[in-house]
Amino acid sequence: MAEYYLGLMSGTSMDGIDAVLVDLQNARPELVCAQTFAWPDAIRQQLSQIVDQPEVVSLHSLGQLDALTGETFAYAAQSLAREAGIAAEDILAIGSHGQTLFHAPNSTPAFSHQCGDPNRIAEITGITTVADFRRRDIAAGGQGAPLVPAFHQAVFSSPDQDRAVLNIGGMANLTVLPGKAAPVLGFDTGPGNVLMDAWHRRHRHDPYDKGGAWAAQGECLSALLETLLEHPFLQQVPPKSTGREVFCANWLDEQLGRLRLTSPAKAEDIQRSLLEFTARTIADAVRRHAAGTRQLLVCGGGAHNTLLMQRIAEFLGDIEIASTEDFGLHPDWVEAVAFAWLAKATLQGQPGNLPSVTGASHPVVLGAVYFA
């Protein structure tokens, strides 16, 4: 009998809601149907404003946005189920990541806030919903992120080879999967697409630089790259995680203001510098923390940036770089499938975190369950 679960994921780039329907009856997930749903412009603008200016949000607007975001997630789930021809009563649960508004794992006390009311998802869809995955790990002393390494271990690890999985979303995160009996390591390497996307939207009025074509027209500004590489997060040792609270357009503008350029920089040169920054920080993380890795599996939107992938490959030399699609799962859907998988783990009372990744004091069952 099929075991249908539905996963919902919206990352830090806020470029859409990834929705997947998967059959989890076997160890390897079977993707049944997948689709990305665009955020309504008004909601996306409100989400971006809160993330970029968290000090100006009111409780009233935050409450309304939480409700609207939850409804949007619910409608995405309903639409996907209809497309797949699967009735709500045949879907065991929805795993909803929510939309991260603020991630502060190093504050006192630590916290992470996701938006998207799961009560409304369960009510509208009639499907049991699992959400709020991060806060139990944080309560146990962890970073609450990244949470996908447990899924990467279950699906992509090999007993015969050291592998790593690189997810390039708004932020980039790396999972190190030792071939032998050694703990899994996972952490955020720094920005993935977030700075490139923000700069591209500002100057080209498009969501992202397709294939890195605009960046390819520019030249890397070595002074800017070196300034960006000075960020202290990059020198921290895992466990560590980050977000748009740290790496954002305002931070980029501050770094640009520090430069003493003899002439104004071309916009495409800054775009190329941001691409080099992402490639360098990823490659540095692999060399520093995954020295034994001979195979890097890539997923996330950044996997489609041809120039970015080329530069990562050049930095890493003899490490084989492949798409997760070569191992059974399209790179666009890995994270959403992971949260469907985590929902199943929660309902079965199984821990979903890896303390070796997040720094939590012990394994914990993640999330809260909202029964249909």
Side-chain angles (χ1 to χ4, degrees), residues 43 127 146 173 225 264 312 344:
I43 295 178
I127 302 170
N173 54 69
L225 178 59
I312 293 171
K344 178 180 179 179

Side-chain angles (χ1 to χ4, degrees), residues 20 42 66-68 102 106 145 167 185 193 216 220 222 229 233 237 247 254 271 285 318 341 365 369-370:
V20 298
D66 187 46
L68 290 170
F102 206 92
N106 300 313
N167 174 64
L185 180 67
N193 303 313
C220 180
S222 58
L229 289 169
F233 175 82
V237 296
F247 295 103
E254 290 173 2
Q271 183 74 4
D318 60 351
W341 183 88
V365 178
V369 180
Y370 300 78

Side-chain angles (χ1 to χ4, degrees), residues 23-349:
D23 181 359
L24 297 180
Q25 64 175 318
N26 299 314
R28 183 167 292 276
E30 180 183 343
L31 187 62
V32 177
C33 192
Q35 190 174 345
T36 297
F37 297 88
W39 281 107
D41 288 341
I43 295 178
R44 188 185 185 282
Q45 289 172 8
Q46 291 178 66
L47 289 169
S48 295
Q49 183 178 11
I50 287 178
V51 170
D52 294 336
Q53 299 176 297
E55 68 281 356
V56 300
V57 64
S58 71
L59 289 176
H60 182 267
S61 60
L62 182 61
Q64 284 193 321
L65 186 59
D66 187 46
L68 290 170
T69 303
E71 290 175 359
T72 305
F73 279 125
Y75 298 144
Q78 283 185 316
S79 179
L80 186 75
R82 283 195 301 269
E83 182 180 334
I86 304 296
E89 55 266 27
D90 293 327
I91 299 173
L92 296 175
I94 293 171
S96 177
H97 171 270
Q99 179 63 60
T100 299
L101 296 184
F102 206 92
H103 183 64
N106 300 313
S107 69
T108 304
F111 70 95
S112 186
H113 183 76
Q114 280 70 45
C115 182
D117 183 5
N119 295 282
R120 290 174 187 260
I121 300 174
E123 182 65 27
I124 292 170
T125 63
I127 302 170
T128 294
T129 298
V130 186
D132 191 17
F133 288 95
R134 300 196 184 278
R135 293 199 293 177
R136 182 60 191 274
D137 181 83
I138 291 175
Q143 292 271 311
L147 294 180
V148 290
F151 174 74
H152 291 162
Q153 180 185 36
V155 176
F156 297 123
S157 64
S158 167
D160 305 317
Q161 185 179 42
D162 287 357
R163 289 177 177 168
V165 181
L166 171 65
N167 174 64
I168 311 176
M171 300 298 148
N173 54 69
L174 183 70
T175 303
V176 183
L177 301 170
K180 299 177 182 178
V184 173
L185 180 67
F187 58 95
D188 288 347
T189 64
N193 303 313
V194 65
L195 297 176
M196 292 186 287
D197 289 352
W199 190 255
H200 193 268
R201 279 194 302 270
R202 182 184 296 184
H203 291 275
R204 308 282 285 190
H205 310 296
D206 283 326
Y208 65 97
D209 182 13
K210 188 174 182 180
W214 189 43
Q217 298 174 25
E219 296 182 3
C220 180
L221 302 172
S222 58
L224 174 58
L225 178 59
E226 293 307 314
T227 296
L228 299 177
L229 289 169
E230 292 174 0
H231 197 289
F233 175 82
L234 304 175
Q235 304 308 317
Q236 293 176 21
V237 296
K240 62 177 182 175
S241 58
T242 189
R244 279 175 58 166
E245 308 78 25
V246 177
F247 295 103
C248 60
N250 290 339
W251 175 76
L252 174 59
D253 289 338
E254 290 173 2
Q255 308 319 303
L256 291 172
R258 293 173 56 193
L259 295 179
R260 297 287 189 267
L261 300 175
T262 56
S263 60
K266 296 179 180 178
E268 59 267 30
D269 291 346
I270 293 175
Q271 183 74 4
R272 178 57 181 263
S273 304
L274 295 174
L275 184 143
E276 293 292 320
F277 179 49
T278 292
R280 262 286 296 275
T281 51
I282 287 170
D284 287 351
V286 172
R287 284 196 296 263
R288 185 177 180 186
H289 298 288
T293 295
R294 301 269 57 86
Q295 195 170 48
L296 182 67
L297 283 55
V298 185
C299 58
H304 302 297
N305 188 320
T306 307
L307 180 59
L308 177 62
M309 296 308 302
Q310 175 186 321
R311 294 299 292 141
I312 293 171
E314 289 170 354
F315 280 129
L316 290 178
D318 60 351
I319 294 179
E320 177 191 352
I321 298 180
S323 167
T324 55
E325 188 167 20
D326 299 334
F327 295 81
L329 197 52
H330 191 282
D332 289 349
W333 313 120
V334 172
E335 278 200 297
V337 173
F339 280 92
W341 183 88
L342 285 169
K344 178 180 179 179
T346 298
L347 290 178
Q348 293 182 337

